[in-house]
Amino acid sequence: MHQQADTAVIGAGIVGLATAYHLALKGKKVVVFERNPRAVGASFRNFGLVWTLGQKPGHIYERAMYGRATWQQIARESGLPCEENGSLLLAYHADETGVLEEFAGSTGITCEILTPDAARSRSSAFRPEGLKAALWSPLEMSLNPREACARLAAWLESTHGVTFRFGTPVNGIQLPHIETKDEKWKVDNVYVCSGYDFETLYPEVFAAAPLTRCKLQMLRTVPQPDGWKLGPALVTGMSMLHYASFAHCPGLAAVKKRVEETLPEYVRYGIHLMVTQNGAGELSLGDSHEYGWEVDPFDKERISDLILQYINTFLYAPALDIQERWHGIYPKLTNGGHDLVLHPEPGVTIVNGLGGAGMTLSFGLARDVIALQ
């Protein structure tokens, strides 16, 4: 069967959907191919947090803010639940407080340092004992990652006329044609948004790129009782070692040294702690980071134990029984960059390498990539 569109997008995770959205805004007829019956990769297995605070000041932060505004608009138009709950970064050590002060005084990122008492007015879900200060950001938003991409795809189809082919791997690209098992499409351009799948399309290009894979482990609690709310997403001081927005702070070296000396297993497994809550009242806890092209298919119970041990030092919640454990895999740049945009042949664009910030940065990246075409 032969069909036709202006542009094809390969991958229905958040990068592919953001790309399809911006192409549709330009009036393009778009078809999206997803090899699975639904997108179940990294876009399905994360905190669901639009995390503006962690993005590097400048153009990347502007992308995050654009992404936030886009999620707001899509939520209004599609009915996708989206909670604007902000975040609290909790500092239980003096060196962490020092970094918060450096950070708040040196960037244009919207945030405010709170005293322990002021932080308690924002949330009662953390343990106040020993808290030195907290960094409040009002801009974070929470989505349920297990429904966000599916709802976004349905909205793109109904509102913008985007065609979806789920359960349809692309077997080859030979422009102007794309071939699948049952169909042959004629298109002008292709965007390959394949996430951690480096082998199916253009494997030699991915092999030469500064990319690796990151495996994360996460846990989810049972629903909290009686309508209990987490409120803001909770983040620990260790997260400052993981996110680029804090990298310029001189005091970060002291935090790094202390964590390496006192929490070596957390460093070994790249663990930093965050907590979010979805619309069902469940808490998502995590996460770890293990890097390499070969991903261990077996999850480490020790990582789950370490996550829960640290979570219990700061989180207060009525129900911490774990109902689910899982791992996710996402592509990670090894050169310190924020994204990877390649053109392996005329008419084909690879969009990849957002690391763990896809929910936050994909809309801004797609806007910028398509503006250059």
Side-chain angles (χ1 to χ4, degrees):
M1 182 183 298
H2 288 70
Q3 302 201 56
Q4 187 166 346
D6 297 320
T7 306
V9 176
I10 299 173
I14 186 56
V15 178
L17 295 177
T19 302
Y21 170 69
H22 284 88
L23 288 165
L25 288 182
K26 294 188 70 173
K28 301 294 184 181
K29 182 181 179 182
V30 183
V31 57
V32 178
F33 298 96
E34 168 56 47
R35 67 189 311 164
N36 296 300
R38 55 177 175 159
V40 293
S43 300
F44 188 77
R45 310 183 193 190
N46 59 67
F47 285 101
L49 183 64
V50 181
W51 175 236
T52 60
L53 186 69
Q55 310 312 316
K56 186 176 180 180
H59 182 56
I60 300 302
Y61 182 70
E62 187 277 328
R63 277 184 182 170
M65 293 299 293
Y66 174 80
R68 179 182 188 274
T70 304
W71 276 118
Q72 287 177 309
Q73 177 185 344
I74 291 172
R76 287 193 299 267
E77 296 183 13
S78 68
L80 174 68
C82 178
E83 186 170 354
E84 299 180 37
N85 50 357
S87 68
L88 280 173
L89 198 162
L90 306 171
Y92 286 93
H93 299 270
D95 53 16
E96 295 171 348
T97 302
V99 175
L100 297 191
E101 292 171 349
E102 292 169 351
F103 179 82
S106 63
T107 72
I109 291 177
T110 300
C111 62
E112 177 187 1
I113 295 180
L114 302 180
T115 65
D117 287 342
R120 289 293 285 179
S121 72
R122 297 283 183 185
S123 171
S124 60
F126 64 86
R127 300 185 183 277
E129 300 84 9
L131 186 72
K132 308 293 185 186
L135 189 70
W136 161 249
S137 168
L139 300 179
E140 275 63 57
M141 303 191 307
S142 295
L143 307 150
N144 187 339
R146 299 193 182 191
E147 67 175 29
C149 283
R151 293 281 291 270
L152 179 53
W155 177 77
L156 286 171
E157 187 171 46
S158 63
T159 304
H160 291 279
V162 175
T163 299
F164 284 87
R165 290 291 188 264
F166 287 99
T168 307
V170 171
N171 300 322
I173 300 173
Q174 295 180 344
L175 287 182
H177 295 109
I178 284 182
E179 293 188 7
T180 69
K181 181 174 69 72
D182 299 316
E183 297 179 338
K184 189 173 185 178
W185 283 75
K186 183 178 181 182
V187 298
D188 298 323
N189 297 281
V190 180
Y191 291 83
V192 179
C193 308
S194 55
Y196 68 86
D197 175 13
F198 301 158
E199 288 85 8
T200 302
L201 299 169
Y202 305 102
E204 70 287 349
V205 174
F206 280 109
L211 280 173
T212 189
R213 290 184 173 103
C214 176
K215 175 186 175 182
L216 60 88
Q217 287 184 213
M218 294 182 65
L219 308 93
R220 179 168 287 127
T221 72
V222 296
Q224 300 303 302
D226 303 323
W228 182 91
K229 293 291 187 181
L230 177 73
L234 299 182
V235 186
T236 61
M238 275 195 288
S239 296
M240 297 188 296
L241 300 174
H242 187 76
Y243 287 99
S245 59
F246 298 93
H248 68 283
C249 297
L252 202 62
V255 177
K256 185 174 186 291
K257 183 173 185 294
R258 174 179 54 78
V259 171
E260 289 174 342
E261 291 176 351
T262 61
L263 299 167
E265 281 193 283
Y266 289 81
V267 176
R268 176 185 176 187
Y269 295 121
I271 297 172
H272 72 101
L273 287 308
M274 303 176 73
V275 183
T276 61
Q277 187 176 32
N278 63 26
E282 303 158 332
L283 302 180
S284 295
L285 317 174
D287 58 352
S288 60
H289 301 80
E290 297 179 276
Y291 300 99
W293 269 61
E294 182 180 351
V295 176
D296 187 352
F298 303 105
D299 293 348
K300 297 178 176 66
E301 191 62 20
R302 179 57 179 163
I303 288 178
S304 296
D305 290 343
L306 290 169
I307 289 172
L308 289 172
Q309 285 174 21
Y310 205 97
I311 288 289
N312 281 313
T313 68
F314 73 89
L315 176 65
Y316 167 76
L320 287 177
D321 298 316
I322 302 302
Q323 65 173 337
E324 294 174 327
R325 303 166 191 258
W326 71 95
H327 75 256
I329 307 166
Y330 62 76
K332 175 72 173 179
L333 284 166
T334 58
N335 62 359
H338 295 280
D339 53 73
L340 182 72
V341 180
L342 301 172
H343 304 280
E345 60 178 302
V348 177
T349 302
I350 292 172
V351 186
N352 208 309
L354 279 80
M359 298 294 278
T360 306
L361 297 177
S362 290
F363 284 109
L365 174 60
R367 174 203 61 184
D368 293 347
V369 168
I370 290 166
L372 296 175
Q373 303 302 307

